[in-house]
Amino acid sequence: YDLNNAEPVAFMHESQLSGVRVGATTGVAVDKVARDDVTELGLFGTGRQAKANCEAICTARPSIKRVKVFSPTRENREAFPGLLKLPGVEIVPVESSEEVVVGADIVCSMTNSTTPTFDGNLLKGGQMVISVANSDVTLKRHEVDEITFTRASDIIINDWDSVVSNQQTELLDLIDTGAVDRESVFELGDLCIGEVAVKQTNDNIVYYKNNTGLGMQFAAAGAVIYNKMKNEDTNRVVPPEWLAAEDYP
C-alpha cells in the first residue's frame, strides 16, 4: 500500500515473498554479525527457505566460496545446486549432518524438522549458527539442540514478545533453568540501530534464531521488489476503480 493515500499499489505472491523476507532478515543478521572473512556455509534443507537464505547469506558475505548442503532425501540435495545462481560459489551436496557443520564458518538450518538437525557438540569456536523453525502454542519444535543454545555466547532473535506469546519453550525453558542468560539474548533491531553490538569472532559461537515472521518484513521486502518491478513491462495492471468500496454491489 501507498502510505501517503492508503491505496494498494501491488499484489504479490505470498509464498514466494515469504521466502524472500525470511532470507532478507537472515541477510541482515549476517551483515551485522558475521566475520568479513567467512568462506564456507553449511546448510541444512533444500526447500524454499533454504534457497532464499542461502542466496541472502552469500549476498551479505560475498567472501563465501563454498556451500555444503544436506537433506536426508538424496534427490533433493543433489538437485539443490541447480536451483541457485551464485557465480563463484561451489555448492556441494554432502552425505551427513557432521559434514555440514565441521569446518563451516556459518551453519544454517532451514528445515521443517521438529528435532535437532545436528549435534551442538560438533560446533567449534568461530562459528555462527542460524535457524528458522520455532515452537508455537500448537507445536513444539527443536531444530537446534540445547547444547547449541548453551554454548552460544550471544543469541539474537527478531522479537522477544513473540518468544513469549508463541511460547517458544526451546528458549524460555533454558532461561528459566538458568542454562541461558536472558541478558545474552538480543533483538536484531537493536543491532541495526546500534543499541548493542554482537560479533562473530574467531573464538565464540553466535546463534541467530530467526524466531518469528513480522508484518514489517513483508512490507520492507515487498517495497524493494515493487520498486524494482514497477517499470517492467511484465506486470498486469488492475484498474484502481475495481478496488473502490463504493463500486461494490
Side-chain angles (χ1 to χ4, degrees):
Y1 289 87
D2 185 334
L3 294 182
N4 294 311
N5 54 25
E7 291 184 354
V9 295
F11 296 98
M12 299 183 185
H13 195 292
E14 186 278 334
S15 180
Q16 179 69 18
L17 183 57
S18 182
V20 171
R21 56 102 183 173
V22 175
T25 310
T26 292
V28 171
V30 169
D31 181 57
K32 294 298 179 184
V33 176
R35 298 194 318 269
D36 292 331
D37 62 351
V38 296
T39 60
E40 187 167 278
L41 167 65
L43 180 66
F44 291 93
T46 56
R48 181 187 65 214
Q49 293 292 355
K51 179 178 180 291
N53 279 265
C54 181
E55 291 174 337
I57 293 168
C58 291
T59 299
R61 282 298 179 270
S63 57
I64 293 175
K65 301 303 179 187
R66 189 167 188 257
V67 176
K68 300 180 296 185
V69 61
F70 175 74
S71 165
T73 304
R74 177 181 294 275
E75 292 81 3
N76 290 347
R77 63 178 183 258
E78 291 182 348
F80 189 74
L83 301 179
L84 292 93
K85 295 180 180 179
L86 293 170
V89 179
E90 180 188 18
I91 303 176
V92 183
V94 296
E95 300 293 323
S96 68
S97 59
E98 290 82 0
E99 291 180 81
V100 174
V101 176
V102 175
D105 298 298
I106 299 175
V107 177
C108 179
S109 188
M110 291 287 144
T111 76
N112 59 6
S113 177
T114 58
T115 57
T117 54
F118 66 92
D119 182 354
N121 288 305
L122 295 170
L123 296 170
K124 302 292 184 183
Q127 292 182 299
M128 179 178 182
V129 177
I130 300 168
S131 73
V132 72
N134 302 280
S135 293
D136 57 32
V137 295
T138 61
L139 179 65
K140 300 307 173 187
R141 305 174 74 178
H142 296 267
E143 190 180 24
V144 168
D145 63 13
E146 292 184 1
I147 296 169
T148 300
F149 278 93
T150 58
R151 294 190 65 195
S153 61
D154 302 282
I155 298 172
I156 303 134
I157 57 173
N158 295 343
D159 176 61
W160 175 255
D161 288 341
S162 297
V163 172
V164 177
S165 62
N166 290 338
Q167 298 177 24
Q168 293 176 355
T169 52
E170 65 274 25
L171 175 56
L172 291 172
D173 287 352
L174 292 175
I175 292 174
D176 288 343
T177 63
V180 169
D181 184 356
R182 172 66 180 89
E183 299 303 314
S184 69
V185 180
F186 305 97
E187 289 189 342
L188 180 58
D190 288 334
L191 273 66
C192 292
I193 63 175
E195 286 288 332
V196 296
V198 176
K199 295 294 183 181
Q200 175 191 19
T201 70
N202 291 323
D203 304 308
N204 66 353
I205 295 171
V206 180
Y207 175 27
Y208 169 51
K209 182 175 171 60
N210 198 332
N211 80 301
T212 190
L214 301 172
M216 69 182 73
Q217 292 172 304
F218 283 102
V224 171
I225 295 170
Y226 168 71
N227 285 322
K228 286 186 174 183
M229 295 188 65
K230 63 182 179 182
N231 295 321
E232 293 185 4
D233 60 6
T234 57
N235 302 313
R236 297 182 181 182
V237 177
V238 176
E241 57 268 21
W242 287 12
L243 307 172
E246 59 268 22
D247 291 341
Y248 289 160

